Amino acid sequence: MTKQRLATKRRHMNIIPEPFDREQYDKALVEALTKTDATSVYFDTSALVWLYRVRQQARAEFVAFLDTDPLRERSHIPIWALHELNKHRKSNQVLFPLVAEYLRLTNAIKSIKHNAQLFVDDKFAGGTQWKNETAFITALESASDALMKVVKPLNQGGEVAQIDNELAPFIERHALNQKMPALAALRDEFVARCEGRFPPGFEDMSKGGKTGEATDFSGANRFGDYVFWRSIVDHAREDDAIRTVVIISHDAKRDWVHKPQKYVGYGSKPLNNDKKEDEFNCPHPMLSFEIKVEAGVERLFIVSIMRLVQAFSLQEQGAGFKELARAIQIEAGEAKASDASGAGGQDALDASEGETDAAHAAEEADVDGAKAAEAEAEVIAEAGPDAGGEPVAAEDEAVPHEVVGGDDDEGADNGPAAVVPVEVAGDLAQRLVALGGAALADGGYLGDPDANPEADQAITDLKTHNWYAQNPAVQKLDLLIADPATSDTQRFILGRNLYQSACGNAWRATQYLSELAGKAHGAQADNVAILFAGALFEAYYGPTGQLRTHLKDQMLDTLLDLADNPLFEDVRDWMAECLGGAAAHFIVYPGGARQEALFDLAFDDDGRASEIRVADTVVSEPFGNDDDDFLLQLSGNMTADRLVKILAGHFDLPVARVEIAPNFEDARNFAGLKLKPWTTNGDLTFAPP
């Protein structure tokens, strides 16, 4: 049955259920972008413009993601998006909001200095620390000059040519080769659809032209969204392989997306979808219906870059998005602050009647920085589906918390419990041994009424799926772990939830972990070590205190580097004791004799891979086409880098700790092999070197 016949057979309207299942939506999105070649991705102008505004490392992460299989050949920029992008590239003020901010700041400082000279006299200055007019004006000049010296590079940092060098190859590679759309016909269709409020674009029907007259539509770009949409529908209809469409756009108006009244989060009860910082949207149902009927597309997703990163983080596949996640959280946090101050997310570029063409262009594409962040302020990250436990305290009404508990997808309840040593020397070691079941099996932790209530509140915040609850909690950790009222159990559980927040790409959590060794000095060294012990334990053990079937390994490289540090020697030895006999299942583990995973490769006379082993343990076997698991099969023409990543992922190892011998430059054929199944409690074990 062809795709067109399938579409004809299934002409039914999709009804959005209430409450909406956000976890299943995210799971389907991630699978569509990682596990199938039947997905086609399309970029809106707003998403492309946003990439110009973020730091280089964040851009590089996103480009790398889309330039890997299966997305490399399935990501497209329709002609209308390219047209609008070229318009915006003419104005630095659109691509780089800092340029406009710099101009406003410069003008504000000039105005303050001018008016201060008119207003300040010796009597006024006498009531300040400067005592007289001359000292006050001199101090003002000095302070303003110092400020302008710091911010001036920000005005020069946004160079279109410089960023073009990074993005132009990506844009050229993914530009969709389409005929010019029939604009006159599409304009007439758009007007007719708008009368029935049929998406997309009816929110733009009232846009005016350059003169501002009610009857002038010159340059208004009222039907640009519809042209963009028709380009996608037409392209999907022409390709029978396309079953899923993902539109990456920062346009969250109601003529593109539907906002459910309630949604179910990760392990949470139904939540009201009424808070800007946690708003969740899905495609407008009429758009899903139209593209299904006309192009045979079975699933439509409309997501911003922010929500895409959020979904991957929630599904524990966000390790490659750390810089993007940080940029998103910073931007959304600023948007919330702006909204609280009464700015309402509206950029000052288009606040006046005499706005520039550049500002007008920003309005057309809905790419205003604060506005986009406000619309996407959900961008929350999960700590992992196994954070465990119930709320320690009443939820903060200002932030919708989702606290999870029970079993997890990583099989936390399938492995052996930790083997805690009983005979140790040293104060820190004794404190670690003294940790009880509430710390090691923190899924049932409900708070400690005899300890620090602020620490319990921080634990609650870290357990949420909300970056904007987690990040402020991380900022309190230094004071909390030093507070004598905080118990070691609380410090340990704070460490566990610090790690799961970092695994969910909460940027202050990732930063705090990376700087942890610098905090382990002086009187707080042992307290910091207990926090680290909690983080390390969380990677290996689930909320019931039993070994995970697969590790929570998103930041395992950071943990192993910290465990190698002599400052944390007692924690490393304690963790090795906890693993006990289960350590035999790991190639690399804290306190183990082997800290690098060397995979020895063997090839036959034809150059095909014949065996992979670690020391005396063979980790591969021949692949048969009958009943074998294709997920374990290695592919032909595999590069060394690709093989290293596959081995690291299969055996829960950091890529930086994996080596292969012999290394090879040209791709080699591994199609005749599959990796043996591996879990932390399976049959495959490794003898120490």
Side-chain angles (χ1 to χ4, degrees):
M1 181 179 292
T2 66
K3 188 169 72 167
Q4 190 59 47
R5 287 178 59 195
L6 177 67
T8 303
K9 182 179 178 181
R10 296 182 178 178
R11 290 193 181 187
H12 59 274
M13 176 63 185
N14 289 330
I15 302 299
I16 306 295
E18 293 280 355
F20 192 86
D21 192 333
R22 181 171 129 194
E23 181 175 2
Q24 289 303 314
Y25 183 86
D26 287 346
K27 181 178 180 181
L29 172 64
V30 171
E31 288 182 351
L33 291 171
T34 58
K35 297 183 179 180
T36 176
D37 58 1
T39 298
S40 195
V41 180
Y42 302 90
F43 289 90
D44 183 22
T45 313
S46 57
L48 294 172
V49 168
W50 190 81
L51 288 175
Y52 276 81
R53 295 177 166 185
V54 296
R55 61 183 67 190
Q56 185 275 333
Q57 290 172 306
R59 278 194 300 275
E61 285 181 349
F62 192 70
V63 169
F65 167 69
L66 289 169
D67 276 345
T68 56
D69 294 330
L71 297 179
R72 188 194 308 271
E73 304 301 325
R74 288 287 181 180
S75 300
H76 311 290
I77 305 174
I79 188 172
W80 196 258
L82 288 172
H83 161 65
E84 290 184 332
L85 177 64
N86 279 324
K87 287 195 303 179
H88 300 320
R89 289 177 66 256
K90 297 177 182 178
S91 172
N92 275 9
Q93 293 191 28
V94 174
L95 296 181
F96 310 113
L98 279 173
V99 174
E101 296 289 347
Y102 176 82
L103 293 175
R104 282 195 290 270
L105 178 62
T106 301
N107 291 331
I109 289 178
K110 288 180 179 178
S111 177
I112 289 173
K113 290 163 64 175
H114 172 74
N115 285 290
Q117 290 176 335
L118 292 174
F119 178 76
V120 174
D121 55 18
D122 286 342
K123 182 177 181 181
F124 173 86
T128 71
Q129 67 184 79
W130 290 280
K131 303 306 180 185
N132 60 66
E133 175 186 350
T134 301
F136 186 96
I137 297 300
T138 300
L140 178 60
E141 291 280 355
S142 177
S144 60
D145 290 346
L147 176 60
M148 294 308 299
K149 183 178 181 179
V150 172
V151 301
K152 187 174 182 179
L154 297 175
N155 180 49
Q156 301 168 342
E159 295 292 340
V160 173
Q162 174 186 340
I163 300 178
D164 274 350
N165 289 334
E166 303 167 25
L167 288 182
F170 168 79
I171 292 172
E172 291 293 332
R173 195 159 50 245
H174 296 287
L176 195 57
N177 188 15
Q178 287 182 305
K179 296 188 300 182
M180 281 294 297
L183 296 181
L186 290 175
R187 180 189 58 198
D188 294 341
E189 288 179 21
F190 168 75
V191 172
R193 289 167 67 109
C194 283
E195 288 188 9
R197 309 292 285 175
F198 202 96
F202 61 76
E203 289 283 346
D204 296 332
M205 186 64 180
S206 60
K207 278 186 177 179
K210 294 182 178 179
T211 66
E213 296 294 331
T215 57
D216 175 29
F217 301 118
S218 58
N221 192 24
R222 294 187 303 159
F223 66 107
D225 281 2
Y226 184 57
V227 177
F228 173 73
W229 169 247
R230 290 310 309 181
S231 297
I232 294 171
V233 174
D234 292 345
H235 181 257
R237 183 174 54 244
E238 294 166 0
D239 188 342
D240 285 340
I242 298 175
R243 293 288 187 271
T244 302
V245 163
V246 178
I247 299 175
I248 299 180
S249 171
H250 290 191
D251 190 339
K253 299 195 302 296
R254 59 178 178 164
D255 57 355
W256 276 108
V257 297
H258 169 77
K259 177 182 173 182
Q261 295 181 21
K262 291 180 178 290
Y263 67 85
V264 178
Y266 287 67
S268 78
K269 61 184 180 182
L271 298 172
N272 290 327
N273 194 16
D274 59 358
K275 293 182 172 62
K276 288 182 180 180
E277 67 268 18
D278 199 33
E279 185 176 273
F280 179 78
N281 297 318
C282 58
H284 193 294
M286 291 307 299
L287 295 178
S288 297
F289 175 68
E290 182 176 9
I291 201 169
K292 178 185 291 184
V293 170
E294 292 203 24
V297 170
E298 298 170 5
R299 189 70 187 265
L300 172 67
F301 296 92
I302 301 177
V303 294
S304 65
I305 295 175
M306 295 82 161
R307 297 203 178 197
L308 185 147
V309 172
Q310 169 211 5
F312 272 78
S313 297
L314 287 165
Q315 293 292 314
E316 298 192 338
Q317 297 191 45
F321 291 137
K322 284 184 170 52
E323 287 297 326
L324 264 174
R326 177 177 180 176
I328 289 164
Q329 291 165 67
I330 291 172
E331 182 180 37
E334 290 172 352
K336 287 168 63 179
S338 174
D339 185 56
S341 68
Q346 179 66 40
D347 194 289
L349 274 173
D350 46 24
S352 67
E353 295 182 0
E355 61 183 343
T356 64
D357 288 343
H360 191 69
E363 181 188 4
E364 290 176 358
D366 289 295
V367 294
D368 173 87
K371 189 173 183 179
E374 181 179 278
E376 301 302 337
E378 175 183 30
V379 248
I380 29 189
E382 178 208 13
D386 57 329
E390 295 296 324
V392 174
E395 292 184 352
D396 183 352
E397 293 300 323
V399 182
H401 289 179
E402 301 173 40
V403 184
V404 295
D407 297 341
D408 61 28
D409 294 335
E410 294 162 311
D413 295 326
N414 294 333
V419 181
V420 181
V422 293
E423 294 183 5
V424 295
D427 292 341
L428 175 58
Q430 291 178 12
R431 289 171 67 180
L432 289 168
V433 170
L435 292 168
L440 303 183
D442 71 332
Y445 181 74
L446 298 178
D448 186 348
D450 297 324
N452 190 346
E454 293 184 4
D456 282 340
Q457 183 58 54
I459 291 170
T460 298
D461 293 339
L462 290 171
K463 282 185 176 182
T464 69
H465 296 72
N466 192 322
W467 282 334
Y468 309 109
Q470 293 168 333
N471 286 329
V474 173
Q475 291 180 287
K476 300 174 184 176
L477 285 181
D478 284 347
L479 293 176
L480 290 174
I481 62 177
D483 192 332
T486 303
S487 67
D488 282 348
T489 293
Q490 289 176 318
R491 293 186 180 96
F492 188 86
I493 296 177
L494 283 168
R496 294 192 67 160
N497 287 285
L498 170 69
Y499 182 68
Q500 53 93 355
S501 298
C503 288
N505 278 336
W507 79 271
R508 291 197 182 276
T510 61
Q511 183 183 54
Y512 196 93
L513 271 180
S514 67
E515 298 173 351
L516 198 61
K519 301 176 184 294
H521 296 282
Q524 298 308 316
D526 287 356
N527 290 340
V528 172
I530 291 175
L531 182 89
F532 170 59
L536 189 60
F537 193 84
E538 177 70 16
Y540 288 82
Y541 290 89
T544 62
Q546 292 175 288
L547 191 65
R548 302 180 187 278
T549 302
H550 284 283
L551 304 186
K552 185 181 285 188
D553 61 352
Q554 289 88 331
M555 290 196 66
L556 188 60
D557 52 346
T558 299
L559 294 183
L560 291 176
D561 287 345
L562 288 169
D564 289 341
N565 193 312
L567 291 170
F568 297 118
E569 181 179 2
D570 284 347
V571 176
R572 180 178 66 242
D573 294 344
W574 172 83
M575 189 67 203
E577 292 287 345
C578 286
L579 289 170
H585 293 283
F586 297 97
I587 303 174
V588 173
Y589 65 92
R594 183 190 295 110
Q595 290 302 307
E596 301 290 339
L598 176 61
F599 291 85
D600 293 308
L601 313 177
F603 298 90
D604 62 21
D605 293 339
D606 296 326
R608 294 167 61 95
S610 58
E611 185 180 81
I612 305 175
R613 66 169 58 234
V614 175
D616 295 330
T617 302
V618 178
V619 300
S620 66
E621 55 189 352
F623 178 80
N625 291 320
D626 296 332
D627 299 322
D628 268 348
D629 188 347
F630 282 88
L631 295 178
L632 299 176
Q633 183 190 19
L634 298 173
S635 63
N637 299 320
M638 186 179 296
T639 64
D641 287 345
R642 178 63 177 156
L643 178 62
V644 166
K645 290 178 181 178
I646 289 175
L647 293 171
H650 186 72
F651 294 101
D652 290 354
L653 294 164
V655 170
R657 296 196 178 224
V658 174
E659 295 182 7
I660 57 174
N663 208 333
F664 51 90
E665 294 183 3
D666 298 327
R668 304 293 293 269
N669 190 347
F670 286 80
L673 291 181
K674 69 174 183 178
L675 294 175
K676 291 182 178 180
W678 177 85
T679 64
T680 63
N681 58 355
D683 296 330
L684 200 59
T685 59
F686 305 91

